[in-house]
Amino acid sequence: ESKQELKQGLKQGLNFANKSFDSIEKVPMTQMDSSNLLNEGFLKSGTPSEQKVTKLRIRAAFWLLGLCSNSGYVIMVAGAKEINSGGVAVVFLFDVVPGFFVKLSAPYWFHLVVLACGLLMIIGFILVGCGSSLGIQLFGVSLSSVQSALGEATFLSLAARYDSRWALTMWSSGTGMAGIFGYGYVYFLHVLWGFSFKFTLLSANLIAAALLGIFFFLLGPVPPKSIDPSLLVTDETCEFIALAEDQSGLEFHFKKKVKIESEALSSKERAKFVASLWPYMAPLCLVYFAEYCMQSGTWSAIGFPVSSEDARKDFYLYANWTYQVGVFFSRSSGILFSPPPWVIQVFMPLFQVVLLILFYIDSVYHFWYDYSLLIPCFVVGLLGGGVYVGSYILIAKKMPPERKELALGAASIADTVGVCLADLTGLYIQSCAYEANGIHGATVQCFL
């Protein structure tokens, strides 16, 4: 009798457990960050002190990767006046357009290409440094563009497999420091210490070696690609069921239903998804269009006095260097605070356009004409860097986990589009500013 009562009590308890389980509020798995779920064991193994070292190592690696990957691009820009002083924007175009096509096609074929990045950087420096003609040098610049684009698309996508906010901020901060480093590298070796431009570029191949070493040795094993867990398990994840009694007494177990869905996207689906990122890409495109119009156009036509070519080269170098300092500070701020979306997506890009108009008018009429102009150059860097890191953090926050990696890599085409358009426009801005100041040697004819 007591055995029968025990069985009856177990049945009642089991029924109660089933009802209680069914009443639990279910939270969709898509609201959870799959990179944390799937990679937690990968990134958090070991003792607490070992986990802390791992976090610091990964953050340092992303910062250094940003520094090294972007330095080749910046060094080419910093040397633009040496390569083609009458058409700075031509050098900018060759430093951007090849990368544009890389980023445009990357969502359809992209895989990890870090080794190619290092090799392209080395070949690019050699061709520009040793090239006997402008054509060969510009081809070397274009290889640097491809390297920079591959690096950015690679490491932005890779950030989705780690703590995205930290990884994106450290990457962005590193690319910001690359601007300061790149211009400083050219200034100290070539301008201040008098080394040839050829030696300056060839010695920069050490950066390529550092890029490869940091990725393969400092960053360490890369976590597996994130997958949305809701694609693997249905809503009927687990339920208690009671089986019929047999000679051994009452039995019960868990039942789990699992389905596997293909996550592969067709080219049309990928294109549609990339197009849906326009709220994040449009601000990036506009802010980069405005700032590169200033860099390749107005800043190359300002000097004290403007008639001196050396004075124009000096202002171009100092203005871009100051700009890069602003970029570094704002790109490093992502982990500290995030402005509201309307500030990132509306106010900052439009204010950048206002500064472009200000600099062009000033390059023609000289109403504010001394080195205090470096102050708004610094602000230009703050705005550009702020929109960059802010946009990618917004993408990482808003995108579903299974799309985050694709979104971060694909959105990087936006700033490249802006820079390409700016470099074409910058040719004519520089030409018109040259004509207004009675300066000869522009690559194209002003249409005004």
Side-chain angles (χ1 to χ4, degrees):
E1 185 177 348
S2 60
K3 184 177 180 181
Q4 188 65 29
E5 290 176 353
L6 178 60
K7 287 185 177 182
Q8 187 65 28
L10 286 172
K11 286 182 180 180
Q12 291 176 356
L14 186 57
N15 290 333
F16 176 78
N18 271 319
K19 291 178 181 179
S20 299
F21 182 81
D22 291 337
S23 66
I24 295 174
E25 182 181 357
K26 297 179 180 179
V27 179
M29 293 295 285
T30 52
Q31 296 177 7
M32 305 177 71
D33 189 344
S34 65
S35 61
N36 290 337
L37 287 172
L38 296 181
N39 298 331
E40 183 176 5
F42 186 91
L43 298 175
K44 295 185 177 181
S45 60
T47 65
S49 60
E50 290 173 337
Q51 294 173 21
K52 185 176 181 180
V53 170
T54 299
K55 286 182 179 180
L56 292 174
R57 175 175 55 78
I58 290 171
R59 292 169 186 176
F62 267 93
W63 192 89
L64 291 169
L65 288 169
L67 170 65
C68 293
S69 180
N70 212 43
S71 289
Y73 168 83
V74 175
I75 288 172
M76 296 300 183
V77 171
K81 278 281 189 180
E82 295 288 337
I83 299 172
N84 188 20
S85 61
V88 169
V90 173
V91 180
F92 276 53
L93 279 170
F94 276 85
D95 207 16
V96 173
V97 171
F100 164 74
F101 289 106
V102 169
K103 291 181 179 180
L104 184 66
S105 60
Y108 306 96
W109 57 266
F110 176 73
H111 297 289
L112 199 60
V113 283
V114 178
L115 184 59
C117 286
L119 294 176
L120 286 169
M121 186 184 294
I122 291 171
I123 297 172
F125 281 141
I126 292 174
L127 290 178
V128 177
C130 302
S132 57
S133 67
L134 178 61
I136 293 175
Q137 288 182 310
L138 291 177
F139 179 65
V141 173
S142 69
L143 292 182
S144 176
S145 171
V146 173
Q147 172 271 312
S148 178
L150 284 176
E152 184 173 47
T154 298
F155 297 116
L156 282 173
S157 297
L158 198 61
R161 305 192 187 188
Y162 297 87
D163 182 341
S164 298
R165 188 181 182 91
W166 266 105
L168 289 170
T169 299
M170 298 307 289
W171 160 264
S172 300
S173 177
T175 59
M177 178 53 73
I180 300 173
F181 170 79
Y183 276 91
Y185 179 82
V186 173
Y187 176 77
F188 282 104
L189 263 72
H190 181 54
V191 179
L192 190 63
W193 296 338
F195 289 103
S196 68
F197 190 58
K198 176 180 178 180
F199 175 83
T200 301
L201 291 181
L202 293 180
S203 60
N205 282 315
L206 292 173
I207 301 171
L211 173 69
L212 297 176
I214 292 163
F215 178 79
F216 289 109
F217 298 105
L218 181 61
L219 182 62
V222 176
K225 184 175 181 179
S226 299
I227 304 172
D228 183 359
S230 66
L231 298 174
L232 303 179
V233 182
T234 69
D235 288 338
E236 303 174 277
T237 53
C238 183
E239 64 183 57
F240 295 100
I241 59 173
L243 299 182
E245 295 183 56
D246 59 16
Q247 293 181 354
S248 61
L250 185 68
E251 295 181 3
F252 58 92
H253 67 84
F254 295 104
K255 180 179 72 175
K256 180 182 287 186
K257 295 182 180 180
V258 179
K259 67 176 180 179
I260 303 297
E261 295 182 0
S262 173
E263 182 57 15
L265 294 177
S266 66
S267 296
K268 184 177 180 180
E269 289 171 330
R270 285 175 178 259
K272 185 177 179 180
F273 174 72
V274 172
S276 72
L277 299 174
W278 72 266
Y280 311 99
M281 298 171 69
L284 275 169
C285 182
L286 181 59
V287 80
Y288 271 80
F289 171 78
E291 67 189 62
Y292 273 80
C293 278
M294 286 181 262
Q295 288 187 63
S296 63
T298 59
W299 294 354
S300 61
I302 295 176
F304 317 115
V306 70
S307 58
S308 168
E309 183 177 355
D310 288 339
R312 294 196 302 272
K313 283 185 178 181
D314 286 344
F315 180 79
Y316 173 82
L317 180 63
Y318 295 140
N320 279 279
W321 203 356
T322 306
Y323 155 84
Q324 295 293 350
V325 173
V327 170
F328 170 69
F329 279 111
S330 56
R331 288 194 180 189
S332 302
S333 66
I335 202 62
L336 301 176
F337 64 92
S338 293
W342 70 269
V343 174
I344 297 172
Q345 297 174 305
V346 179
F347 175 76
M348 295 171 76
L350 292 181
F351 190 45
Q352 195 81 299
V353 174
V354 171
L355 289 174
L356 167 61
I357 297 171
L358 170 70
F359 269 109
Y360 177 72
I361 295 174
D362 192 43
S363 70
V364 174
Y365 296 104
H366 303 182
F367 61 86
W368 177 6
Y369 216 65
D370 55 43
Y371 272 107
S372 63
L373 278 173
L374 296 179
I375 296 173
C377 292
F378 177 76
V379 175
V380 170
L382 288 178
L383 294 172
V387 173
Y388 181 92
V389 67
S391 295
Y392 287 118
I393 288 177
L394 278 177
I395 291 172
K397 186 184 298 183
K398 299 293 185 180
M399 289 296 109
E402 73 277 9
R403 294 286 185 268
K404 187 189 298 185
E405 190 168 331
L406 173 62
L408 289 171
S412 65
I413 192 176
D415 57 87
T416 309
V417 172
V419 175
C420 288
L421 295 175
D423 291 343
L424 289 170
T425 308
L427 278 171
Y428 292 94
I429 291 176
Q430 181 184 6
S431 176
C432 293
Y434 266 31
E435 184 175 301
N437 288 282
I439 302 170
H440 302 289
T443 301
V444 300
Q445 185 71 32
C446 177
F447 57 86
L448 297 178

